[in-house]
């Protein structure tokens, strides 16, 4: 996807357990410009940008980065979280938080961003060679589709949600003009779950050269899964 905009007013704080005092740095404005790979969560996309681009540029050659105490941990991290602190007509202030899995170090990143950066960035999701299996209580249905796509997703929508929409509509349109046309809109996400879709747990991961999408209810009574080739543009 193509993104074009600036992240401003960047401040990063690192805190460590059993260590008195935090380490604070200020970063220069950073221009997000060009093509970026699709991401599952916008929170992790931002952490990747900060941890691999913005912070290393800021601390390189400084006292903070001297010796054995590197500012950024080379460690496995929990998924990041993103909080909107303040919104106005043109921009919003955000807090990005990320902690290592050993629970020793936490990073807090404050920044301001033009809200239109991502809403101007619409992308297309195309799935091909699609196999879908849906378990609704004791009923199991399978579908095979060639190529399905939709466009106009803004970058605030995570990838699994966009894929969900493409699959639901793809199955529905595959029955267009048949006796099942009206029922097909509920073939992937059943009617009894439509009002409670926010309880559904969905994820997308790459398995070899293909992708796998799953969506299920917490009680396991409903589960949908799909494998496909994925193209983002």
């Amino acid at each position: 996807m193509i993104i074009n905009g600036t992240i401003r007013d960047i401040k990063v704080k690192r805190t460590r357990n059993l260590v008195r005092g935090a380490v604070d740095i200020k970063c220069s404005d950073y221009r997000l410009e060009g093509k970026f790979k699709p991401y599952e969560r916008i929170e992790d996309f931002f952490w990747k940008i900060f941890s691999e681009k913005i912070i290393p540029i800021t601390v390189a050659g400084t006292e903070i980065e001297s010796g054995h105490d590197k500012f950024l941990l080379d460690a496995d991290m929990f998924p990041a979280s993103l909080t909107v602190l303040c919104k106005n007509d043109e921009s919003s202030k955000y807090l990005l938080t990320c902690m290592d899995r050993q629970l020793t170090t936490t990073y807090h990143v404050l920044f301001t961003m033009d809200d239109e950066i991502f809403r101007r960035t619409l992308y297309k999701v195309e799935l091909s060679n699609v196999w879908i299996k849906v378990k609704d209580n004791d009923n199991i249905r399978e579908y095979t589709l060639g190529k399905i796509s939709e466009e106009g997703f803004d970058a605030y929508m995570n990838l699994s949600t966009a894929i969900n929409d493409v699959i639901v509509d793809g199955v529905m349109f595959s029955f267009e003009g048949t006796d099942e046309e009206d029922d097909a809109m509920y073939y992937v996400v059943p009617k009894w779950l439509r009002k409670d879709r926010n309880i559904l747990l969905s994820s997308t991961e790459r398995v070899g050269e293909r992708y796998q999408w799953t969506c299920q209810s917490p009680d396991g009574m409903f589960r949908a899964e799909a494998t496909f080739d994925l193209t983002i543009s």
Side-chain angles (χ1 to χ4, degrees):
M1 70 181 63
I2 298 174
I3 300 175
N4 188 356
T6 302
I7 301 174
R8 307 186 306 276
D9 307 324
I10 305 167
K11 299 178 182 178
V12 184
K13 175 184 288 188
R14 185 193 70 185
T15 57
R16 285 182 167 173
N17 293 342
L18 305 179
V19 176
R20 180 177 297 178
V23 178
D24 298 274
I25 62 172
K26 291 184 179 180
C27 305
S28 301
D29 293 352
Y30 186 82
R31 186 75 177 174
L32 275 175
E33 188 173 23
K35 290 186 177 181
F36 294 82
K37 293 181 179 179
Y39 51 81
E40 168 61 15
R41 301 174 67 248
I42 193 171
E43 298 91 336
D44 296 327
F45 168 78
F46 273 124
W47 176 246
K48 184 179 179 68
I49 292 295
F50 280 108
S51 64
E52 295 184 6
K53 302 290 185 181
I54 300 175
I55 296 174
I57 292 173
T58 302
V59 300
T62 66
E63 293 182 359
I64 296 175
E65 198 66 359
S66 63
H68 298 291
D69 184 22
K70 302 297 183 182
F71 186 80
L72 283 171
L73 284 181
D74 183 14
D76 192 18
M77 309 295 286
F78 282 114
S81 64
L82 186 67
T83 304
V84 180
L85 299 179
C86 178
K87 294 183 71 71
N88 58 43
D89 293 338
E90 297 181 355
S91 63
S92 296
K93 292 184 178 181
Y94 295 88
L95 170 63
L96 180 72
T97 304
C98 197
M99 176 185 291
D100 73 299
R101 291 187 180 273
Q102 298 299 316
L103 307 180
T104 63
T105 305
T106 303
Y107 296 92
H108 302 279
V109 184
L110 292 163
F111 63 96
T112 301
M113 189 178 69
D114 178 359
D115 286 340
E116 292 303 313
I117 287 179
F118 286 103
R119 294 196 176 94
R120 287 196 305 262
T121 307
L122 303 180
Y123 65 97
K124 176 182 178 181
V125 175
E126 180 179 282
L127 314 181
S128 56
N129 303 315
V130 187
W131 173 82
I132 306 163
K133 180 180 179 180
V134 179
K135 174 184 174 292
D136 178 10
N137 292 302
D138 294 328
N139 299 315
I140 297 178
R141 298 178 67 110
E142 295 186 16
Y143 311 94
T144 302
L145 303 175
K147 182 180 292 186
I148 52 178
S149 66
E150 288 187 22
E151 54 187 293
F153 297 109
D154 70 50
Y156 280 105
M157 178 176 287
N158 69 49
L159 185 58
S160 289
T161 302
I163 289 172
N164 175 90
D165 290 353
V166 175
I167 290 175
V168 168
D169 292 343
V171 170
M172 178 179 67
F173 289 128
S174 70
F175 287 92
E176 192 172 21
T178 71
D179 293 339
E180 299 180 68
E181 182 176 359
D182 292 336
D183 295 331
M185 69 176 65
Y186 303 113
Y187 279 174
V188 177
V189 179
K191 192 173 185 178
W192 61 274
L193 272 173
R194 282 300 175 101
K195 291 184 179 180
D196 296 316
R197 290 184 66 172
N198 59 323
I199 70 170
L200 297 177
L201 308 173
S202 62
S203 64
T204 303
E205 61 179 339
R206 185 165 185 169
V207 181
E209 296 300 315
R210 287 166 62 78
Y211 285 81
Q212 183 175 51
W213 167 84
T214 59
C215 179
Q216 62 184 2
S217 59
D219 60 8
M221 297 301 293
F222 162 77
R223 177 182 171 85
E225 57 185 274
T227 56
F228 45 84
D229 299 316
L230 174 65
T231 302
I232 304 290
S233 59

